[in-house]
Amino acid sequence: MTPKVSISYKTKNILIDELSKQDNIEVLKEAGFIKSLFTKKKYADVYFFSGSLDEKAIENIKNAKMIIVNSFASMNEVISKLKISHERVKVIYPSVTIEYKKTKDVKLKLCEELQIDPINKLIFFTAKNFKTSGVKEFLDICSSITYEDFKVIIAGTEKQIYSLKFQQQKYPKLESKLILLEDYKNMDDLFLAVDIFILPTYNKSFSSNIVKAMFCRCAVFLSIDNDAKEIVDVFASMDSPTDPSMTFKVDAILKGQDDLKQIKKENRKLASEFSLVNNLAKINTIIGNV
């Protein structure tokens, strides 16, 4: 009988969920306090790391045969701070699992639902934490756009949208353009329907929404504070969340229809490399060499 490969993780994700269903995989569970007093601690063969290098993560990294991280920035941090071999750390970007649909059809359906003219280009923002992800900076960018036919969609929880409504009056230029969606049921369709996704975030951790937006044929703009900068080109990168060149860039692709189509096509092609099926194949190749 082939021995199983043990895995553990700092943060669970879709790839780990799928991997744990395989017969050759054993997910190591944390031992309870009493049990830990009388048994030798077991460490996983493969450890999935993301986020900050806390004491527990460092211990698991040092004792694993292989470490999986979600960005090269994270890989370099692990190698430089913990002085471990480069061969022991592999990068697999976050997986995307959206059911892809024809974006034009999804957009027409959304425009009908929201009662807006399909001629409008749709600019989108969503995040777990609006403030640190740059919602104010996003609104500043959108309020300076000179292109006429666009709408701005922000989707979030009831609490997020409630707080945002008090800031609306600061952006009179967006009065007829801003659409706030509270607890929207089908977020995937929003990504498929919109044209541009902007995330002027201050957060470092890799934003999986960037991969999702690209997979859904969106043009994206992202501040270089975030590790997802590794998969976007220079034009899509913001020097900071308040990058003054952003309005010019957004205006340029809104007015350049062919450029927007080309960017969407290229983003879709790149992000397709990070499908769950492809990432499972990558991790199984890595596991086969552990």
Side-chain angles (χ1 to χ4, degrees):
M1 186 176 178
T2 306
K4 292 189 174 186
V5 174
S6 59
I7 67 171
S8 64
Y9 50 86
K10 181 173 182 183
T11 305
K12 200 173 187 181
N13 57 38
I14 300 166
L15 181 61
I16 294 169
D17 278 337
E18 287 300 307
L19 193 61
S20 64
K21 296 174 185 177
Q22 296 181 184
D23 293 336
N24 65 326
I25 298 297
E26 174 193 8
V27 180
L28 286 191
K29 297 179 180 178
E30 285 289 319
F33 176 72
I34 300 298
K35 188 177 180 180
S36 67
L37 295 176
F38 299 100
T39 57
K40 184 180 178 181
K41 184 167 183 178
K42 287 180 67 178
Y43 294 98
D45 297 314
V46 180
Y47 179 65
F48 289 80
F49 168 72
S50 61
S52 58
L53 275 172
D54 54 35
E55 188 177 327
K56 186 177 177 182
I58 291 171
E59 181 183 4
N60 281 301
I61 288 170
K62 286 184 173 180
N63 287 283
K65 294 177 183 176
M66 191 68 69
I67 301 97
I68 308 298
V69 295
N70 64 9
S71 70
F72 284 96
S74 184
M75 179 187 77
N76 292 335
E77 180 185 25
V78 167
I79 291 170
S80 63
K81 288 187 176 179
L82 303 185
K83 310 300 180 187
I84 64 174
S85 167
H86 188 282
E87 286 72 26
R88 287 177 57 204
V89 188
K90 303 295 180 185
V91 176
I92 295 182
Y93 288 127
S95 306
V96 60
T97 58
I98 285 183
E99 177 191 354
Y100 188 76
K101 305 172 190 174
K102 194 171 181 181
T103 55
K104 185 177 181 180
D105 293 342
V106 181
K107 181 176 180 178
L108 287 171
K109 185 179 177 181
L110 181 71
C111 287
E112 183 180 355
E113 176 190 339
L114 300 179
Q115 297 183 319
I116 57 178
D117 190 332
I119 197 173
N120 284 282
K121 296 292 191 297
L122 304 181
I123 304 174
F124 185 41
F125 175 93
T126 190
K128 288 181 179 178
N129 185 316
F130 273 21
K131 185 176 180 180
T132 61
S133 296
V135 70
K136 177 188 177 296
E137 291 75 8
F138 170 79
L139 289 168
D140 288 341
I141 293 164
C142 293
S143 64
S144 300
I145 293 171
T146 60
Y147 183 82
E148 286 297 326
D149 298 322
F150 77 95
K151 296 289 184 183
V152 176
I153 297 176
I154 299 179
T157 64
E158 180 183 357
K159 185 177 180 181
Q160 287 173 326
I161 298 302
Y162 179 78
S163 298
L164 199 57
K165 286 177 180 177
F166 290 101
Q167 299 179 42
Q168 275 185 275
Q169 59 185 4
K170 298 178 183 177
Y171 302 94
K173 291 182 180 179
L174 295 178
E175 185 178 355
S176 63
K177 296 185 178 296
L178 184 57
I179 300 168
L180 302 178
L181 299 179
E182 183 181 298
D183 293 327
Y184 195 78
K185 289 183 179 180
N186 200 335
M187 290 293 289
D188 288 355
D189 277 3
L190 288 181
F191 279 99
L192 286 162
V194 301
D195 299 285
I196 301 172
F197 179 69
I198 304 176
L199 193 67
T201 183
Y202 293 88
N203 298 323
K204 180 183 182 298
S205 297
F206 196 111
S207 169
S208 58
N209 277 342
I210 290 296
V211 182
K212 185 184 289 189
M214 291 172 67
F215 183 83
C216 292
R217 293 180 70 97
C218 292
V220 300
F221 290 97
L222 174 74
S223 57
I224 59 173
D225 296 283
N226 193 272
D227 286 348
K229 65 180 180 289
E230 295 173 9
I231 65 169
V232 302
D233 61 24
V234 175
F235 181 76
S237 302
M238 304 169 62
D239 290 339
S240 72
T242 56
D243 186 342
S245 71
M246 268 303 298
T247 302
F248 169 78
K249 288 182 177 182
V250 176
D251 259 325
I253 64 167
L254 286 173
K255 294 170 183 175
Q257 183 65 24
D258 290 340
D259 292 335
L260 181 56
K261 284 183 179 179
Q262 186 61 29
I263 290 168
K264 287 180 170 188
K265 182 180 177 181
E266 290 173 357
N267 282 353
R268 162 77 176 156
K269 182 180 179 181
L270 175 60
S272 294
E273 296 177 19
F274 316 130
S275 69
L276 181 58
V277 171
N278 286 346
N279 277 353
L280 269 174
K282 292 172 192 173
I283 190 62
N284 276 310
T285 298
I286 292 168
I287 285 172
N289 295 316
V290 170

